[in-house]
Amino acid sequence: MLPWDGTLAGRLDRHTVTSELLRGNPLGDPHERPLWVYVPPGYDGGERYPAVYVIQGYTGHLTMWANRTPFRQPFVETADAVFAEGAPGCVVVYVDAWTAYGGSQFVDSPGTGRYHSYLCDEIVPWVDARYRTIPDRESRAIAGKSSGGFGAMITPMLRPDLFGALATHAGDSLYELCYVPDFGKAVRALRDYDQDIHAWWADFRSRPAFTRPEDPVLLQLLGVSACFSAAADGTPELPFDPATGVVRPAVWQRWLGWDPVRMVPGHAEAVRSLRAVWIDAGTSDEYFLDVGAQAFRAELARAGLPDERVHFELFDAGHGAIDYRYPLSLAWLAGRLAR
């Protein structure tokens, strides 16, 4: 395997999109965002194609899709290989939703901005207006890993008019297992900051990132609080007392309201309408997202989604370095989207 860029059979277009919905966002993040759109081999022949929207995990940003690691190709190339090797062609849209906290969870929040609306009401129409997509929910899917997997789970529930299929790789779910274990770690880490996560944030921004062991846990808790439980003025509110670790029931309930496992019953009709759902996770996932995947799968079945529309798989891995799973779900979706 060569350690430099490969030649694509299709084409990757790099754009900059101006978002009116992100203009003036609470964190002062750019409202002009990069957007990558891949078109498969044969696209220039005039045919219309289904579209798969790809979103990223926490701290993921768009240009990371081009990162190369030893003996592995980036997803842009492995996705291209899916279609070069004969899978039905799709337009693949790589969406940026980065924030100053490292992520948006793809939701609308007074703490970060209107990232769900940006995805659904700006990016989807922008792509449909400029590319030969099939502008129908039966021909549109969304896929992601970790926080991106969470976004892929919730978006078709919230916007069944736009998305009729999804793929989630180790998506955030079953929050009492994936998030609560970090509460105690955060309390210990914040002892050095007078139990004030905003003091840690000021320190984090004053030095090279991730140079202290507590940085990943505190960044995620601060950032997700900004997404799920920000006050009306945008201030992130932690779901636990930073001095004692005691859960704050009202704030924690706001987080649980975003748990995909708990969301399914309230969106059962949208769930039953899905034409294809891929769910997978590693059996040693450090955030117990394999257990969350099982719980999400069970709720889909309980809601009445037929088994033949679902691919569920647990595989031998942890949470990281599972990018080799992405082309598998892409090929599966490509064969199930309406044409």
Side-chain angles (χ1 to χ4, degrees):
M1 184 176 295
L2 300 176
W4 46 80
D5 288 351
T7 301
L8 299 181
R11 185 182 80 237
L12 184 69
D13 298 335
R14 293 173 169 86
H15 301 282
T16 299
V17 175
T18 299
S19 168
E20 294 305 319
L21 291 174
L22 296 184
R23 189 186 295 273
N25 65 78
L27 297 177
D29 290 321
H31 67 279
E32 293 185 339
R33 293 299 177 104
L35 180 74
W36 291 359
V37 182
Y38 167 87
V39 297
Y43 175 83
D44 293 328
E47 181 182 351
R48 287 191 171 271
Y49 292 86
V52 179
Y53 286 72
V54 179
I55 55 180
Q56 290 175 304
Y58 212 81
T59 69
H61 58 78
L62 191 67
T63 56
M64 291 171 67
W65 288 122
N67 287 356
R68 309 189 73 81
T69 55
F71 304 104
R72 288 196 184 181
Q73 294 172 282
F75 182 43
V76 169
E77 293 180 17
T78 59
D80 177 69
V82 165
F83 303 114
E85 293 167 5
C90 292
V91 171
V92 183
V93 184
Y94 298 88
V95 181
D96 179 78
W98 170 269
T99 73
Y101 290 136
S104 64
Q105 296 296 94
F106 312 97
V107 302
D108 289 352
S109 168
T112 54
R114 299 181 63 190
Y115 284 88
H116 191 258
S117 296
Y118 152 76
L119 166 64
C120 295
D121 297 330
E122 289 186 325
I123 297 300
V124 170
W126 192 96
V127 171
D128 284 344
R130 291 164 177 80
Y131 287 86
R132 289 197 314 279
T133 58
I134 303 171
D136 186 87
R137 51 107 53 193
E138 299 296 313
S139 304
R140 191 181 292 118
I142 186 167
K145 182 247 180 172
S146 194
S147 288
F150 160 78
M153 286 187 276
I154 67 165
T155 299
M157 287 195 273
L158 297 175
R159 292 299 302 268
D161 58 313
L162 293 181
F163 292 95
L166 71 92
T168 175
H169 302 280
D172 297 359
S173 54
L174 206 62
Y175 288 178
E176 59 266 56
L177 296 186
C178 76
Y179 282 128
V180 170
D182 282 344
F183 294 0
K185 297 175 187 176
V187 171
R188 288 175 174 171
L190 289 173
R191 289 170 183 160
D192 291 338
Y193 301 93
D194 295 325
Q195 310 303 146
D196 183 357
I197 198 165
H198 300 288
W200 165 81
W201 177 238
D203 175 62
F204 178 82
R205 290 184 295 170
S206 73
R207 56 180 168 80
F210 303 113
T211 51
R212 297 197 57 168
E214 67 269 20
D215 287 349
V217 166
L218 294 179
L219 179 65
Q220 176 167 279
L221 288 174
L222 177 63
V224 177
S225 294
C227 299
F228 289 169
S229 57
D233 66 359
T235 303
E237 296 183 351
L238 293 174
F240 59 92
D241 186 304
T244 66
V246 174
V247 170
R248 294 166 166 164
V251 182
W252 179 232
Q253 188 57 50
R254 294 179 66 185
W255 283 51
L256 293 179
W258 284 112
D259 184 347
V261 174
R262 292 171 167 85
M263 288 177 65
V264 170
H267 298 85
E269 183 177 354
V271 165
R272 285 191 294 271
S273 75
L274 292 169
R275 65 182 295 127
V277 176
W278 173 292
I279 307 166
D280 72 11
T283 54
S284 301
D285 189 283
E286 293 84 346
Y287 303 96
F288 300 99
L289 295 173
D290 52 327
V291 184
Q294 289 177 300
F296 183 65
R297 172 68 186 95
E299 286 298 326
L300 296 184
R302 192 169 291 114
L305 181 65
D307 290 345
E308 60 268 21
R309 299 186 203 167
V310 180
H311 176 96
F312 176 80
E313 184 179 354
L314 299 181
F315 55 94
D316 184 17
H319 190 66
I322 62 170
D323 51 295
Y324 60 93
R325 303 290 303 181
Y326 307 164
L328 303 179
S329 66
L330 180 61
W332 189 83
L333 287 171
R336 285 159 180 80
L337 293 171
R339 294 179 180 270

